Amino acid sequence: MKEQKVLGIDIGGSGIKAAPVNTNDGLMLEPRQRISTPIPAIPESVSSVIAEMARHFRWKGPIGCGFPAVIQNGVAKTAANIDNSWMGTNVNKVFSKATGLPVYVVNDADAAGLAEMKFGAGQGVRGLVLLCTIGTGIGTVIINNGRLVPNTELGHIEFKGMDAEKYVSDATRKAEDLTWEEWALRFNEYLIAVEKLIWPDLIILGGGASKKGDKFLQYLDLKTPVVPAELLNNAGVVGAALAGRYQHRLSAKKKKKKRKK
Ligand code: BGC
């Protein structure tokens, strides 16, 4: 099978990570590069980091990018943990201009979901899977019989009278100096609320905190089986590359169709 290389980039609240990925097997082809998310994380500053990363890998092909917001047709529609100036921005266009390469943006949690279903804990799982990423924000992904429903934002359900992610994110655990047990009990209550809404068959926990499963998984008590993500924190980069591959193909097909008309 031809190696399909795509540069995967994962934009997070604290760091931006990138690596070229072989999208056939999900393996990174070079060591991952990480640059701290610039402050303020506005379109100009983040674009220059993306361009720097493309230069670092001497990249000439398509780029897939996970972005922490609702993304519709390349446009950011929300800005929960990122600068408000992203709202309404066509992120595909801004990053493509900055790199001179085709860039395809997707919600960061959706990217992680694609990677876990293809190469990680969700491989071959049928039924309804909920993947939840725990980091600066709470990202959610719903995959039914292998098909992903994009842009679900269950991290923002109202919970205890507030935006759920403000109560249960990893950033809140650190800011409020919660013990792992205290935080896990909060997170458990949140997952029970989500279980009541969507009744998953499996819950996969990903994001930065997924590496720390041994510290909190024992405190979770749910109807649904819970497993940690297998690609851990790399799911974002690998999934961004996968999304980039799908969208690049789609755009090539569209262009071909146009030429034929
Ligand atoms: C955003 C989501 C994102 C999640 C994880 C949330 O605040 O609304 O779009 O997936 O954080 O970064």
Side-chain angles (χ1 to χ4, degrees), residues 67-70 78 80-81 107-109 133 136-140 153 156 165:
F67 195 81
V70 168
T78 58
N81 277 311
N107 170 265
D108 58 348
T133 63
T136 310
I138 293 287
T140 60
E153 289 281 337
H156 297 295
E165 84 172 12

Side-chain angles (χ1 to χ4, degrees), residues 171-223:
T172 301
R173 178 186 64 78
K174 289 176 187 157
E176 293 186 20
D177 205 12
L178 300 175
T179 63
W180 279 102
E181 184 178 359
E182 283 166 337
W183 173 81
L185 294 177
R186 280 190 184 193
F187 190 58
N188 194 58
E189 280 182 277
Y190 163 72
L191 286 179
I192 289 174
V194 174
E195 266 184 334
K196 284 187 187 148
L197 295 175
I198 62 162
W199 290 84
D201 296 297
L202 176 71
I203 297 177
I204 304 177
L205 298 181
S210 61
K211 288 181 288 195
K212 313 263 173 67
D214 55 324
K215 300 205 191 303
F216 68 86
L217 285 173
Q218 67 269 31
Y219 302 118
L220 301 183
D221 183 16
L222 298 156
K223 284 196 190 73

